[in-house]
Amino acid sequence: MGDVYMKWFKNGKIYLKNNKFAESMIVKDNRILKIGDDHTLSFAFTEGEMIDLEGKTVIPGLIDSHLHFLMTAEFLSLLPITGVSSMKELIERCRDYIVEKKMCKEEILYSEGWNHTLFTDEKRMPNRRDLDQASMTVPIVLVRVDRHVMSLNTAALRYFNITKESKVEGGGAILKDEQGEPTGILTERALDLVKAHLPNVTSEEKKRLLKETMSLANRFGITSMHTNDAKDESIEETLALYSELEDEQALTVRFYQQIWFNDGKYLPEFLTRGFSFRKGTDWNRIGPIKFFIDGTLGSRTAALREPYSDEQSTKGIMTKSEETLTNEVKLAVDNGFQVITHGIGDQGIETILNAYDSALGELSNTLRLGINHMQITGLDLIDRVAEKDYLTYVQPVFLEDDLPILYDRVGPERAETSYLFNTMKKKGIHQSFSSDAPVVSFNPFDSIQCAVTRNRLTDPMSDPFLPEEAMTIYDAIDAYTFEGAYASFDEDKKGRIKEGYLADFAILNQDIFTTDPSKIKHTTIQSTYVNGKRVYSEEMV
């Protein structure tokens, strides 16, 4: 479709805000010019292209407020192990892949996505003895679905020189057997012992993968993403990929860059190298500084105030002290940066709140500091978030993997004050939805269905988990559109279909507002528009 002066979208159901719709809209260049009914807008339309929506539903372009887009692009090219249902199947997939690809000892089999809580034979993490059954010569490196645990075979331990004497800087561990030898399981910062030495992918190959994955995102109606790729020593290299794609006019998704510091030692240098908050364009902009404080529920590394109910010997892992986090947050805030911090367990979340309160002092939260995940909460923590107007970034689709283990991990009392999406909404907390891909697919309709039904996608008709925490379809759509825009200070230009706003929107193949909630996940996209141009349609597939 070539460029036209105006595009008139008529005879549709165009979502504006809570239970309010329009029939028609006119797009001029990259902005929404007029919204109204067909008759009224017929007088405003002078020339251009007329598109009959044939009654279809239109929503604002979807905004994923936290994921790892480059990692997702690379992940989609790996041996698929997401959804593997047994240890036996995992081993067999690795063995078959090595044979099929004729891999040798100089090559590394690297993949991501296993989840031992789904295993039907042995619900434990794979260790080197397990993976040795796939190969004793080819190094095998497999990362858990949450990206906080890694499993290696013996060949990989040798390749990366991980021994009983190896040390881990910061939170994390090399798990060891009774003889003190590495079991092949690494947690948290110990993963860096491997990641720092994995073969590099060329920048041209990364850009190719990014373009392919942007097309997939557009196919899901996604028009903006807050991506968490630029990290520590590779920040400039990673940001350059997106800048080059923008210069090549190859971006079909808008990016808000979350700058990731696993190691705080890189932060002062970053702040002196000319990077400033929100520097960039509507296509590609520097966003918040991102920190971590704990791990994940599935791997029992999320930091809890009391021990895990199914493992009384641990409260999880704090990746840094409260003092260190406070100093890092204060440094970021003093340099005018927004901050987002990963916090899943209640101890981790409490530590983040303490650090934010200390860093801000008497200042209000004008920089929109936020907490990513906000899962095992407690009402006291939610009240503190609401009181200071901190943002939250949540992933309702995590209910898919977490519900089968939640009560075992934390017990009923803590479980029933967790994943309180509707409570946070009612308390006025700004809550944006995201996927955290490649932890899960970035298909937004999966998260929307989980938020509305409070059920797993694979068991949509079971009794819902805390049904009073179900969100309305309107609030769920807003959390994936307006709230994502708010989190990037863009609520005055996107996240709504509104006159003067950027023409980013998606035309759906079913009415998501009236369909059976258990069928929301089946929603598909007829067309996606970004900046007034069609970047995806069914005809393109």
Side-chain angles (χ1 to χ4, degrees), residues 174-392:
I174 301 168
L175 301 192
K176 297 175 181 176
D177 60 23
E178 293 177 355
Q179 287 73 46
E181 295 293 337
T183 65
I185 299 174
L186 313 181
T187 69
E188 302 302 335
R189 291 291 302 280
L191 276 64
D192 293 341
L193 298 173
V194 173
K195 289 184 176 180
H197 303 289
L198 289 170
N200 290 323
V201 180
T202 67
S203 61
E204 287 306 310
E205 176 64 8
K206 289 178 179 178
K207 284 161 61 178
R208 183 188 70 80
L209 292 171
L210 285 170
K211 286 190 280 190
E212 288 180 359
T213 312
M214 278 189 283
S215 295
L216 179 59
N218 295 150
R219 189 170 181 172
F220 287 133
I222 297 171
T223 59
S224 293
M225 290 179 166
H226 301 198
T227 187
N228 186 199
D229 294 317
K231 173 186 175 185
D232 290 341
E233 72 278 8
S234 62
I235 290 172
E236 292 189 68
E237 174 189 343
T238 303
L239 292 178
L241 297 172
Y242 290 92
S243 295
E244 289 168 17
L245 287 170
E246 182 179 12
D247 291 342
E248 295 164 13
Q249 297 186 334
L251 294 181
T252 61
V253 173
R254 303 182 193 277
F255 290 99
Y256 189 57
Q257 303 286 346
Q258 297 174 342
I259 312 299
W260 178 2
F261 291 94
N262 250 7
D263 192 332
K265 74 181 183 182
Y266 295 100
L267 179 58
E269 179 185 0
F270 169 79
L271 294 171
T272 61
R273 292 184 70 87
F275 296 103
S276 58
F277 179 52
R278 303 203 79 245
K279 180 180 181 180
T281 69
D282 286 337
W283 283 106
N284 183 35
R285 194 181 299 281
I286 298 291
I289 286 172
K290 167 76 184 301
F291 298 120
F292 279 81
I293 195 61
D294 67 352
T296 67
L297 187 68
S299 58
R300 297 189 188 87
T301 55
L304 302 180
R305 294 191 276 203
E306 299 297 332
Y308 278 82
S309 297
D310 58 355
E311 187 61 68
Q312 288 288 313
S313 63
T314 184
K315 294 182 180 180
I317 293 175
M318 293 280 286
T319 59
K320 60 186 67 177
S321 68
E322 182 177 314
E323 179 183 9
T324 298
L325 179 62
T326 300
N327 291 337
E328 290 173 352
V329 171
K330 191 171 190 320
L331 182 58
V333 168
D334 287 348
N335 281 271
F337 270 86
Q338 182 183 26
V339 175
I340 171 176
T341 306
H342 167 117
I344 288 181
D346 50 13
Q347 183 60 63
I349 295 166
E350 182 174 312
T351 302
I352 295 168
L353 291 171
N354 292 344
Y356 284 2
D357 289 352
S358 295
L360 290 178
E362 297 301 315
L363 298 175
S364 59
N365 187 29
T366 56
L367 284 171
R368 300 183 184 176
L369 278 58
I371 300 175
N372 188 33
H373 304 308
M374 194 76 185
Q375 289 173 220
I376 311 303
T377 46
L379 295 175
D380 62 313
L381 300 176
I382 291 175
D383 286 341
R384 288 183 64 183
V385 170
E387 180 184 356
K388 281 299 195 70
D389 200 23
Y390 295 129
L391 277 59
T392 61

Side-chain angles (χ1 to χ4, degrees), residues 122-141:
E122 302 178 77
K123 288 189 183 296
R124 60 177 179 82
M125 300 182 190
N127 58 39
R128 65 174 178 145
R129 303 299 181 197
D130 300 312
L131 300 185
D132 284 350
Q133 296 176 52
S135 179
M136 288 293 295
T137 56
V138 174
I140 300 174
V141 178

Side-chain angles (χ1 to χ4, degrees), residues 439-502:
V439 171
V440 297
S441 163
F442 54 53
N443 182 346
F445 301 106
D446 289 348
S447 253
I448 291 169
Q449 177 166 318
C450 288
V452 172
T453 66
R454 299 292 292 185
N455 272 331
R456 300 178 70 212
L457 299 169
T458 50
D459 192 14
M461 304 312 292
S462 63
D463 290 337
F465 169 65
L466 304 182
E468 67 277 10
E469 291 300 325
M471 297 181 72
T472 69
I473 185 61
Y474 304 109
D475 288 342
I477 293 293
D478 288 352
Y480 240 121
T481 53
F482 172 79
E483 291 294 352
Y486 184 88
S488 61
F489 293 82
D490 289 320
E491 72 274 17
D492 62 345
K493 65 176 67 173
K494 66 181 182 181
R496 296 273 191 215
I497 294 178
K498 191 173 181 179
E499 292 179 3
Y501 277 41
L502 291 166

